[in-house]
Amino acid sequence: MRTAILPASFAVLIFIVGVTILNTQLWYSAQINSENGARLTMKNIEAILDEASTATHTAINIALQSCSAENQYRLGTEAALKPHLRTIAIVKEGKVWCSSLPGNRVLLQLDTLPETPLLLLTANQTTNHLPVLIYQADSTEGKVFVSISDAHIRDALNGYTFDAHYALVIDDNMLGVTGDITPRPQSRVNMSLLSSNLYPFSITYHLPVFFSPLRVMQQGSGLLFFIFIISCTVAYTLYKYANKYTTPEESLRKAIEHGDIVPFYQPIVNGVTGKIHGVEILARWKHEHIGIISPTYFIPVAEKVGLIIPLTTLLLDQVVRQINQIASKLPVGFHIGINISASHVNAPSFVADCLHFRERVQHNHLKLVLELTERERLQIDEQLIDNLNTLRRHGFFIALDDFGTGYSGLSYLHELNIDFIKIDQSFVSRIDSHKDSTMLLDCVLEMVQKLSLQIVAEGVETAGQREYLNRKNIALMQGYYFYKPLTFIELVIALLAQNHKEIIVD
């Protein structure tokens, strides 16, 4: 057994790279969130100061008149109706001339405040021992002071990303989500500042650290687990590969030689009655260690290394033996669909391989259908057209598989004699309760029906999809709603069960 150091090293490397990429994405996202939170916080505080500015205009108008009971009532109403304001006061000649509080009272010494539009006062500067934000405005008749409670400012600071620790900065003073007014730190390491264009204040906040295990665990635990699984999978794969002397090509070649590629049968049913109308032949790899392997994994390998033709030949040999055992019991026109790859269609042996298969099927009442996939490009030329026409004269039908998902579907319809169109499951899966979900499918069905081509709908998985296709007069369907791909024995059981039901009904 070869050493496990190399696979383990690759696993660790993949895990480290994956965690680094994940951390970088989360860090970048955290930066964006912190900045967006700062902008929203700044807008909310600007909205509070807009209220103060509006109240100031009212106070200036009152300053030009008199501090009558009516005008004092106007100041009190202005402060009460603005949700974030606390008090409004007009100062003339260094004394409080008029206030929104009864008796023209105030909660702090206004005559000693410095000349600045915005000011943060500490708790020991107010009568209720709570920090406060002061908005000042000058007029020819005096000064207007509007106080704003720290609770409203903290609400604006505390509504977004908690780790950012937003704080209001005015001059060299700072108010955070907790505590009193503090001097602004001189060091700006890992800090950022966002300044308002409307008022003389800024929002400071912490930048997220680049690497945070807690952030990765909290926000990326699912992806972290996925990266771990991928790393382990890669390590296991490399370990198994390092201790094997065969390449995927050699393994597949041996599987073909040993007959490990076997046919499965996907029933094609009548959408109204549910009766099995035919089957599509599907390839499966019966691996001695892994089990059943989907063709998704080995068909591309077979096409790449030139094994698709011997693989298809092996499959057809088994289909002939199995179908001949039950052919006499199958109804006239029973549909047998055979997938043919583009590389096989373009091979010189294509016609001979198909005719050899036709000759070995003991009953001519079966409908043999060659399914040409649209997912691979066909080299359409006179030789290909002649080959397909020859096969049609010998009783074959031609189907275009995976219609609408690959190369030049309309071109194929124009240049080739097509009998069946198989609507890909990607169209069928869009059928749901929304009226616009079937627009693309309806267009495809309408076009194909106008061409008088028979249609098989693939991937039917729900009763709603079946009912919709029935309403569209699509007679033939296949999918997990009816049957999963079956082994030959399972197919025989399904046919016997169907015939038994028909006998009971009769």
Side-chain angles (χ1 to χ4, degrees):
M1 181 180 293
R2 298 187 179 183
T3 178
I5 295 179
L6 182 61
S9 300
F10 268 102
V12 172
L13 177 61
I14 291 174
F15 185 78
I16 292 175
V17 171
V19 170
T20 301
I21 294 173
L22 174 61
N23 175 77
T24 302
Q25 291 177 333
L26 293 176
W27 170 72
Y28 179 76
S29 178
Q31 280 192 315
I32 298 298
N33 290 338
S34 297
E35 182 178 349
N36 289 340
R39 293 187 185 279
L40 289 172
T41 299
M42 182 179 67
K43 289 182 179 179
N44 287 342
I45 294 179
E46 287 176 344
I48 294 174
L49 294 177
D50 287 341
E51 293 179 10
S53 177
T54 302
T56 298
H57 293 310
T58 301
I60 290 174
N61 290 332
I62 292 174
L64 296 174
Q65 302 172 18
S66 64
C67 188
S68 63
E70 177 64 24
N71 282 337
Q72 189 178 19
Y73 174 77
R74 287 176 60 192
L75 282 179
T77 302
E78 190 74 17
L81 295 181
K82 295 292 189 297
H84 300 98
L85 304 187
R86 189 172 176 186
T87 60
I88 304 172
I90 303 172
V91 175
K92 290 186 177 183
E93 298 178 356
K95 297 181 179 180
V96 176
W97 178 73
C98 199
S99 168
S100 61
L101 296 177
N104 289 333
R105 288 178 293 178
V106 292
L107 300 178
L108 46 90
Q109 287 296 114
L110 299 178
D111 54 342
T112 60
L113 297 182
E115 300 280 344
T116 177
L118 292 178
L119 180 66
L120 286 172
L121 297 183
T122 61
N124 58 13
Q125 293 178 283
T126 62
T127 58
N128 62 350
H129 303 292
L130 291 174
V132 69
L133 171 63
I134 300 297
Y135 179 94
Q136 301 186 51
D138 291 327
S139 72
T140 57
E141 296 298 321
K143 295 181 180 180
V144 177
F145 294 84
V146 179
S147 64
I148 301 167
S149 172
D150 67 310
H152 299 309
I153 301 300
R154 296 187 201 275
D155 286 343
L157 296 172
N158 200 29
Y160 304 101
T161 307
F162 176 77
D163 293 341
H165 301 291
Y166 298 111
L168 173 66
V169 176
I170 297 176
D171 295 331
D172 291 327
N173 294 321
M174 183 173 70
L175 175 64
V177 295
T178 59
D180 200 357
I181 307 297
T182 59
R184 179 186 173 189
Q186 296 301 316
S187 175
R188 297 186 180 183
V189 178
N190 209 35
M191 297 281 290
S192 186
L193 192 71
L194 185 65
S195 300
S196 171
N197 295 324
L198 302 179
Y199 300 98
F201 76 90
S202 301
I203 300 296
T204 185
Y205 58 97
H206 290 260
L207 293 173
V209 296
F210 176 73
F211 182 71
S212 170
L214 181 61
R215 182 177 63 215
V216 173
M217 291 297 297
Q218 289 181 339
Q219 301 180 23
S221 57
L223 287 174
L224 190 65
F225 179 74
F226 178 74
I227 294 170
F228 176 75
I229 294 299
I230 291 296
S231 301
C232 292
T233 302
V234 170
Y236 177 78
T237 303
L238 289 175
Y239 177 77
K240 297 296 289 185
Y241 181 79
N243 290 277
K244 292 288 184 180
Y245 295 94
T246 58
T247 64
E249 175 185 350
E250 292 171 341
S251 297
L252 181 58
R253 192 183 302 276
K254 289 182 179 180
I256 295 173
E257 293 174 353
H258 297 160
D260 293 335
I261 308 298
V262 298
F264 272 56
Y265 299 85
Q266 173 79 61
I268 298 172
V269 305
N270 184 295
V272 176
T273 65
K275 182 179 179 181
I276 297 177
H277 182 84
V279 293
E280 177 186 356
I281 310 301
L282 304 174
R284 296 291 187 269
W285 182 351
K286 290 181 63 176
H287 197 281
E288 60 178 342
H289 300 299
I290 301 175
I292 300 298
I293 301 178
S294 169
T296 305
Y297 297 99
F298 63 86
I299 291 296
V301 176
E303 292 174 337
K304 181 179 180 180
V305 301
L307 292 175
I308 191 64
I309 294 178
L311 186 151
T312 304
T313 301
L314 169 65
L315 205 64
L316 294 181
D317 289 342
Q318 297 176 76
V319 170
V320 166
R321 290 195 301 269
Q322 293 176 354
I323 291 298
N324 280 341
Q325 297 178 47
I326 60 173
S328 61
K329 306 297 182 181
L330 297 176
V332 176
F334 191 83
H335 181 119
I336 299 179
I338 307 158
N339 288 290
I340 303 294
S341 71
S343 56
H344 196 174
V345 172
N346 295 320
S349 63
F350 171 59
V351 173
D353 292 339
C354 293
L355 292 179
H356 182 55
F357 173 71
R358 168 83 266 185
E359 292 169 359
R360 289 182 294 159
V361 175
Q362 295 175 359
H363 296 268
N364 293 327
H365 68 282
L366 303 180
K367 181 182 289 187
L368 303 183
V369 183
L370 300 177
E371 298 186 6
L372 309 180
T373 180
E374 194 191 330
R375 296 183 189 272
E376 304 172 58
R377 185 183 299 277
L378 286 173
Q379 297 177 3
I380 300 180
D381 52 24
E382 292 184 3
Q383 184 62 52
L384 175 61
I385 295 173
D386 289 342
N387 288 345
L388 294 181
N389 288 337
T390 298
L391 294 175
R392 294 180 84 249
R393 287 194 299 271
H394 283 81
F396 282 95
F397 293 82
I398 308 299
L400 187 58
D401 196 10
D402 306 319
F403 182 73
T405 62
Y407 296 99
S408 308
L410 296 178
S411 174
Y412 293 172
L413 292 179
H414 176 71
E415 299 183 40
L416 303 176
N417 292 320
I418 302 297
D419 301 295
F420 285 89
I421 292 295
K422 301 196 72 175
I423 303 298
D424 188 75
Q425 63 179 354
S426 60
F427 292 98
V428 177
S429 64
R430 296 174 181 171
I431 299 174
D432 56 33
S433 58
H434 299 288
K435 64 178 182 179
D436 296 334
S437 65
T438 60
M439 291 179 61
L440 186 57
L441 174 62
D442 291 342
C443 293
V444 173
L445 294 179
E446 182 180 358
M447 177 189 67
V448 175
Q449 287 171 338
K450 285 183 178 180
L451 295 174
S452 300
L453 300 175
Q454 297 186 69
I455 299 175
V456 178
E458 297 181 296
V460 178
E461 296 184 351
T462 66
Q465 293 170 357
R466 175 188 183 181
E467 292 170 2
Y468 182 84
L469 294 169
N470 281 335
R471 291 197 299 270
K472 290 294 181 177
N473 297 318
I474 307 303
L476 301 181
M477 308 177 195
Q478 65 182 97
Y480 280 22
Y481 177 76
F482 303 101
Y483 295 96
K484 294 182 178 180
L486 307 175
T487 64
F488 177 65
I489 298 300
E490 291 171 338
L491 174 64
V492 172
I493 293 173
L495 291 171
L496 289 174
Q498 174 180 278
N499 293 337
H500 179 66
K501 289 180 180 179
E502 292 175 357
I503 292 173
I504 293 176
V505 172
D506 291 343

